[in-house]
Amino acid sequence: MEFADVVRRRRMVRDYDPDRPVSPEVRDRLLEHAIRAPSAGFSQGWAFLVLESAEERDRFWAATTSEGAPDRWLTRMRRAPLLIVPLANKAAYLDRYAEPDKGWTDRDEGRWPVPYWDVDAGMASLLMLLTAVDEGLGACFFGVPAERVEAFRAAFGVPEEYRPVGCVSVGYPGAEDRRSPSLKRGRRGVDEVVHRGRW
């Protein structure tokens, strides 16, 4: 598929065919492309938790959602045969930039105007979303609620220095996929968001 087509076709898919698993080859391509994302100082302070079995996925949903009957969104999302949780490791960046070739001698967080550890994990996530489109699959990036992060961490033994930036669900789109009602707001045009030379 042409790259421009991949970008145009990329959208968040919220329903999956539970009877069509993602092949190991495609799963591996998603991850191989993710680690091609840029990272500040080539810190590569990311990790990816791959959840494929029904037991692993059920444990994820149990840890990250409230008890009770699932709503329509959750019912459809739970059908995804593959979940990949990108995690960011801030310490990897603070350590990397305290190395001699970076010129800083400390790990002062104040030097970072934005949390590049999260930015870089987000870019890796986007590469997975684009790869899914190129492979003929659907995918969705969604958040892990702040109040559920510790339960998630405990459920999967995630070390304290790694924090989930979200989750990428992947699979073949299901028959009940619905576009987000937020799309009715319309996409802002280039002329609305681009400022050339100055604001």
Side-chain angles (χ1 to χ4, degrees):
M1 189 180 303
E2 291 293 324
F3 181 70
D5 292 331
V6 170
V7 171
R8 272 194 298 279
R9 292 181 185 186
R10 201 251 3 113
R11 65 184 186 84
M12 298 301 186
V13 171
R14 297 172 179 86
D15 183 44
Y16 300 92
D17 182 342
D19 299 320
R20 293 183 71 190
V22 176
S23 74
E25 296 79 20
V26 170
R27 176 207 57 215
D28 290 348
R29 269 193 295 280
L30 291 166
L31 296 163
E32 288 163 4
H33 290 179
I35 65 170
R36 299 293 301 183
S39 70
F42 209 43
S43 300
Q44 305 172 81
W46 47 50
F48 305 92
L49 178 64
V50 178
L51 307 173
E52 295 177 281
S53 73
E55 185 276 327
E56 292 166 344
R57 295 189 318 267
D58 287 346
R59 192 166 8 126
F60 172 84
W61 293 115
T64 61
T65 60
S66 301
E67 292 182 17
D71 61 13
R72 290 182 60 206
W73 179 88
L74 183 55
T75 297
R76 294 189 309 262
M77 290 295 284
R78 287 182 68 126
R79 296 175 186 154
L82 173 62
L83 300 174
I84 301 174
V85 183
L87 302 115
N89 180 350
K90 174 173 60 176
Y93 289 75
L94 300 180
D95 291 346
R96 172 69 183 106
Y97 275 78
E99 291 177 16
D101 66 311
K102 287 299 177 188
W104 298 346
T105 57
D106 58 39
R107 300 174 74 248
D108 183 6
E109 255 186 87
R111 297 182 187 277
W112 296 85
V114 295
Y116 278 93
W117 37 92
D118 293 337
V119 171
D120 292 351
M123 287 195 267
S125 300
L126 179 58
L127 287 178
M128 287 190 280
L129 294 174
L130 293 173
T131 301
V133 172
D134 195 46
E135 295 286 348
L137 298 170
C140 184
F141 180 88
F142 60 94
V144 174
E147 69 275 11
R148 307 298 298 181
V149 168
E150 288 310 313
F152 161 78
R153 200 185 293 285
F156 294 99
V158 175
E160 187 64 33
E161 65 268 22
Y162 285 93
R163 183 169 54 98
V165 297
C167 182
V168 179
S169 55
V170 184
Y172 291 90
E176 295 182 41
D177 186 39
R178 301 289 179 266
R179 296 272 181 135
S180 169
S182 298
L183 294 174
K184 292 176 184 169
R185 301 179 70 216
R187 188 178 305 281
R188 294 175 68 194
V190 171
D191 291 342
E192 291 182 78
V193 299
V194 174
H195 307 276
R196 300 181 192 278
R198 62 172 294 157
W199 200 271

